[in-house]
Amino acid sequence: MDPTYCDPSLTDGLQAMLQNSRIALSIADGQQDDFPLVGVNEAFCTLTGYRPETVLNRNCRFLQPEGGAGPVRERMRQFLKDPKQEQEKFVIPNETADGRRFLNLVYMAKLFRDNQLCYILGSQFDATRGKTPALSLYEDALKEDIRRYNLLADDTGWVMLGSFDALANSHALIASSKLDRAEPEASS
């Protein structure tokens, strides 16, 4: 993967997941207070119009329109603070780099290693696309990603069912597996 798309500390598995997914994905550092982005993929850059070097190390709130995103921001904050809540979905008003407004359907999932929050995986989709059935397109793209990761699911024993929520959260399962399989860092 192009090194400008993610922090080199991300595991090879997480980097490959970002690179291979057609879904707009972002990964935020779950151990820093403001949850800055440490990885995005090409689909995220296409959706938002932002280049990777302008989004990495920033919180995703730069996507919100002037004046903020309304009450959904508080729900997102609560999700991030609540250790019992591992995943949630939100519809949030956002703006692309050129100022076009869109409704962003965001699935957020917390990724843990050794019971410590490491990352927040965000999966985004423009829910305001014109005449196309946006949610259907999103589900189709997720199904394609699931097909590509079928071997991983078989290896770990996960069973992925066809419901929309199960498909939407599949990236979190895959990312968790890739995080768990990472080689532990050597101590100096």
Side-chain angles (χ1 to χ4, degrees), residues 5 16 19 21 28-29 57 114 143 157 163 174 179:
Y5 282 71
Q19 183 177 16
S21 180
D29 187 332
N57 299 310
D114 300 324
K143 285 179 185 175
S163 77
I174 294 163
L179 189 63

Side-chain angles (χ1 to χ4, degrees), residues 46-47 94-103 126 128-129:
T46 300
L47 172 66
N94 280 168
E95 287 184 350
T96 62
D98 65 6
R100 181 183 65 82
R101 291 183 178 220
F102 69 102
L103 285 177
D126 182 351
T128 55
R129 289 196 175 158

Side-chain angles (χ1 to χ4, degrees), residues 43-172:
F44 176 91
C45 295
T46 300
L47 172 66
T48 66
Y50 285 93
R51 298 178 48 79
E53 59 272 13
T54 63
V55 302
L56 294 177
N57 299 310
R58 294 176 67 188
N59 180 287
C60 272
R61 88 177 65 74
F62 68 86
L63 290 169
Q64 295 175 12
E66 189 175 321
V72 71
R73 279 180 59 182
E74 185 55 34
R75 282 190 50 238
M76 293 172 104
R77 285 186 187 125
Q78 287 305 102
F79 164 75
L80 293 169
K81 288 179 187 176
D82 185 351
K84 294 177 186 166
Q85 235 185 328
E86 293 186 14
Q87 49 195 313
E88 187 60 78
K89 57 188 163 202
F90 307 92
V91 176
I92 185 166
N94 280 168
E95 287 184 350
T96 62
D98 65 6
R100 181 183 65 82
R101 291 183 178 220
F102 69 102
L103 285 177
N104 194 352
L105 174 61
V106 179
Y107 288 85
M108 294 172 68
K110 296 175 182 173
L111 305 179
F112 297 86
R113 177 185 281 158
D114 300 324
N115 294 320
Q116 293 290 320
L117 176 62
C118 293
Y119 301 108
I120 307 294
L121 175 67
S123 172
Q124 299 88 18
F125 190 76
D126 182 351
T128 55
R129 289 196 175 158
K131 297 178 182 178
T132 60
L135 295 179
S136 174
L137 291 174
Y138 186 59
E139 188 175 56
D140 290 347
L142 280 168
K143 285 179 185 175
E144 178 60 29
D145 282 355
I146 297 300
R147 268 186 233 115
R148 281 197 228 140
Y149 293 122
N150 195 29
L151 289 176
L152 172 65
D154 288 345
D155 290 345
T156 61
W158 287 103
V159 176
M160 295 188 198
L161 304 174
S163 77
F164 186 72
D165 281 343
L167 289 171
N169 294 318
S170 64
H171 278 91

